[in-house]
Amino acid sequence: MTALSEYQRLESTGIWREAPEAQRREVIVAFGDATLVISDPRSARALAHWSLPALTRLNPGTEPALYAPSPDADEELEIEDPAMIGAVEKVREALVARRPHPGRLRLWVVAGLSTATVALALFWLPGALIAHTASVAQPAQRSEVGGMVLAELATLTGAPCESAPARRVLDALSARLVPESRIVLVPTALHGVLALPGQMLVLGMPLVQRQDGPEAAAGHLLAAADAAALNDPLLLALRWAGLRAAFRLLATGALPATALAGYGQGLLTEPAAAPDKAEMAARLLDAGVDPSAYLKSLDDGEPFAIAAPPPQALMSDDDWVTLQGACMR
């Protein structure tokens, strides 16, 4: 112990009292092996050994210095010698610095746990609550949110084209390709298909009008349905709406009226994920649809060889013409 060895030969006089009622007596104070030794000045007999790590200063900053072997001890030692006082204080400081600090460790543990809790609340909990809300939403709630998203889209694409002849053709197309979904046709701005909550597939008229038949639209419808199976459209919408809106849906069953403001613009501008051509070609062939038109509509410049298409028509020419004219006023 460097601080102690430096003062091994240092000693001074002091005034020692063994108990509160005992008489004060002059003693010799010296450093021992991790102790403060109090001795009789005439006989040199040790009267007490005080543990240096337990040594307590009773009057910090005041001289003569008063010490006790522990905070609740009855013994008391008074030292006037500045050199001895300085030595005792230096050794005490060195010992305190080396002593374990369970309170400090506890403080760090509590601080770490608090930080982890705050991080959990800020970063994990919102996402977990939104995901939970999407997972427990009822079909009616999904359809309601889908209607809200469609209303947002309609401010940019125009209102859905819902004439009776067009509705008949769309329902027949849905029954053939995506039986669990409802296809909605919008007049402008959307050049492909978007999947909305409530198993709704929104088909853009630009895609219909620039094709000679329904095969390309069929591919985009299947691709959007597959994407929705992997990434829940309701979860995506709730992430946009935010934690408060998701909690409102969980607690009351409805979103705030303005929760999805601007979401339609985001859907129209976000690039669609690149489909797996081989997988989509196989899906279309299994559905009895020639994949050539769909693959060509992707227009990514990459050639793709396909098997000979089966001779099955998705709809009649008259139905296709009906669909192409569905949004004309």
Side-chain angles (χ1 to χ4, degrees):
M1 185 188 304
T2 303
L4 180 57
S5 61
E6 182 181 346
Y7 302 111
Q8 285 289 343
R9 299 182 181 276
L10 181 65
E11 62 180 37
S12 73
T13 59
I15 303 298
W16 175 64
R17 185 169 60 184
E18 185 176 6
E21 67 277 2
Q23 185 176 355
R24 287 156 54 91
R25 57 188 293 185
E26 184 175 312
V27 294
I28 298 296
V29 181
F31 286 101
D33 185 10
T35 62
L36 197 65
V37 182
I38 301 172
S39 305
D40 185 288
R42 289 183 291 275
S43 65
R45 180 174 62 88
L47 301 173
H49 291 266
W50 289 4
S51 169
L52 285 170
L55 191 65
T56 301
R57 176 80 178 264
L58 300 177
N59 61 341
T62 303
E63 294 186 7
L66 292 178
Y67 294 97
S70 65
D72 56 352
D74 292 331
E75 291 182 82
E76 185 178 286
L77 175 66
E78 178 182 302
I79 300 176
E80 288 189 8
D81 185 350
M84 177 59 79
I85 295 173
V88 171
E89 291 302 314
K90 186 172 182 179
V91 171
R92 285 181 65 245
E93 290 174 3
L95 292 171
V96 169
R98 296 185 182 190
R99 188 182 305 167
H101 296 281
R104 185 179 302 173
L105 176 61
R106 188 180 303 112
L107 178 63
W108 280 107
V109 171
V110 171
L113 289 175
S114 300
T115 301
T117 301
V118 171
L120 184 69
L122 289 177
F123 300 108
W124 177 82
L125 184 59
L129 188 144
I130 289 172
H132 174 70
T133 302
S135 69
V136 300
Q138 299 300 308
Q141 294 172 323
R142 289 178 169 272
S143 296
E144 182 178 351
V145 175
M148 294 175 68
V149 178
L150 181 61
E152 280 294 313
L153 275 174
T155 62
L156 303 168
T157 64
C161 309
E162 287 289 329
S163 66
R167 184 73 264 157
R168 175 185 58 78
V169 174
L170 291 172
D171 288 344
L173 183 61
S174 174
R176 169 74 180 276
L177 294 173
V178 282
E180 302 298 323
S181 300
R182 173 181 172 85
I183 303 173
V184 176
L185 186 65
V186 294
T188 62
L190 177 60
H191 296 271
V193 176
L194 290 174
L196 304 189
Q199 295 185 308
M200 187 187 309
L201 297 175
V202 183
L203 172 63
M205 178 58 80
L207 175 62
V208 173
Q209 289 180 332
R210 68 172 182 259
Q211 299 294 325
D212 295 329
E215 290 77 16
H220 286 276
L221 288 166
L222 281 176
D226 290 350
L230 295 175
N231 296 290
D232 185 358
L234 178 60
L235 178 58
L236 299 179
L238 291 180
R239 285 173 179 167
W240 170 277
L243 178 62
R244 183 176 299 180
F247 183 78
R248 176 85 170 269
L249 178 65
L250 183 64
T252 68
L255 282 179
T258 59
L260 295 172
Y263 185 53
Q265 178 67 46
L267 287 177
L268 289 175
T269 56
E270 183 176 353
D276 185 311
K277 288 185 175 182
E279 182 178 333
M280 286 307 305
R283 292 270 283 119
L284 287 165
L285 287 170
D286 288 344
V289 179
D290 179 357
S292 301
Y294 167 71
L295 295 173
K296 185 178 179 181
S297 73
L298 297 177
D299 195 24
D300 58 9
E302 296 183 9
F304 187 84
I306 57 172
Q312 298 181 35
L314 267 177
M315 63 180 66
S316 67
D317 291 341
D318 288 342
D319 283 347
W320 181 243
V321 171
T322 296
L323 202 59
Q324 284 187 312
C327 295
M328 294 181 180
R329 295 290 185 261

Coordinates of all heavy atoms in Angstrom, one line a residue, residues 284-291 307-313:
L284 N -49.0 -17.2 -62.9 CA -50.0 -16.9 -64.0 C -50.3 -18.1 -64.8 O -51.5 -18.3 -65.2 CB -49.4 -15.7 -64.9 CG -49.5 -14.3 -64.2 CD1 -48.6 -13.4 -65.0 CD2 -50.9 -13.8 -64.1
L285 N -49.3 -18.9 -65.1 CA -49.5 -20.1 -65.9 C -50.5 -21.1 -65.1 O -51.4 -21.7 -65.7 CB -48.2 -20.8 -66.2 CG -47.3 -20.1 -67.2 CD1 -46.0 -20.7 -67.3 CD2 -48.0 -20.2 -68.6
D286 N -50.2 -21.1 -63.8 CA -51.1 -22.0 -63.0 C -52.6 -21.5 -63.0 O -53.5 -22.3 -62.9 CB -50.6 -22.0 -61.5 CG -49.4 -22.8 -61.4 OD1 -49.1 -23.6 -62.3 OD2 -48.7 -22.7 -60.3
A287 N -52.7 -20.2 -63.1 CA -54.1 -19.6 -63.2 C -54.6 -19.6 -64.6 O -55.8 -19.1 -64.8 CB -54.0 -18.1 -62.7
G288 N -53.9 -20.2 -65.5 CA -54.4 -20.2 -66.9 C -54.2 -18.9 -67.7 O -55.0 -18.6 -68.5
V289 N -53.2 -18.1 -67.3 CA -53.1 -16.8 -67.9 C -51.7 -16.7 -68.6 O -50.7 -17.1 -68.0 CB -53.2 -15.7 -66.8 CG1 -53.0 -14.3 -67.5 CG2 -54.5 -15.7 -66.1
D290 N -51.7 -16.2 -69.8 CA -50.4 -16.0 -70.5 C -49.6 -14.9 -69.8 O -50.1 -13.8 -69.7 CB -50.8 -15.6 -72.0 CG -49.5 -15.3 -72.8 OD1 -48.4 -15.4 -72.2 OD2 -49.7 -15.0 -74.0
P291 N -48.4 -15.2 -69.3 CA -47.7 -14.2 -68.6 C -46.9 -13.2 -69.4 O -46.3 -12.3 -68.9 CB -46.7 -15.0 -67.7 CG -46.5 -16.3 -68.5 CD -47.8 -16.5 -69.3
A307 N -42.7 -20.5 -70.8 CA -43.3 -21.7 -71.6 C -44.5 -21.2 -72.4 O -45.0 -20.1 -72.2 CB -43.8 -22.7 -70.6
A308 N -44.9 -22.0 -73.3 CA -46.1 -21.6 -74.2 C -47.3 -21.4 -73.3 O -47.6 -22.2 -72.5 CB -46.3 -22.7 -75.2
P309 N -48.0 -20.3 -73.5 CA -49.2 -20.0 -72.7 C -50.3 -20.9 -73.0 O -50.5 -21.3 -74.2 CB -49.5 -18.6 -73.1 CG -48.9 -18.4 -74.4 CD -47.7 -19.2 -74.5
P310 N -51.1 -21.3 -72.0 CA -52.3 -22.1 -72.2 C -53.4 -21.3 -72.9 O -53.5 -20.1 -72.7 CB -52.7 -22.5 -70.9 CG -52.2 -21.4 -70.0 CD -51.0 -20.9 -70.6
P311 N -54.2 -21.9 -73.7 CA -55.3 -21.2 -74.5 C -56.5 -21.0 -73.6 O -57.6 -21.5 -73.9 CB -55.5 -22.1 -75.7 CG -55.3 -23.5 -75.1 CD -54.1 -23.3 -74.1
Q312 N -56.4 -20.2 -72.6 CA -57.6 -19.8 -71.7 C -57.7 -18.3 -71.7 O -56.7 -17.6 -71.4 CB -57.4 -20.4 -70.3 CG -57.3 -22.0 -70.3 CD -57.2 -22.5 -68.9 OE1 -57.8 -21.9 -68.0 NE2 -56.4 -23.5 -68.7
A313 N -58.9 -17.8 -71.9 CA -59.1 -16.4 -71.9 C -59.7 -16.0 -70.5 O -60.5 -16.7 -69.9 CB -60.2 -16.0 -72.9

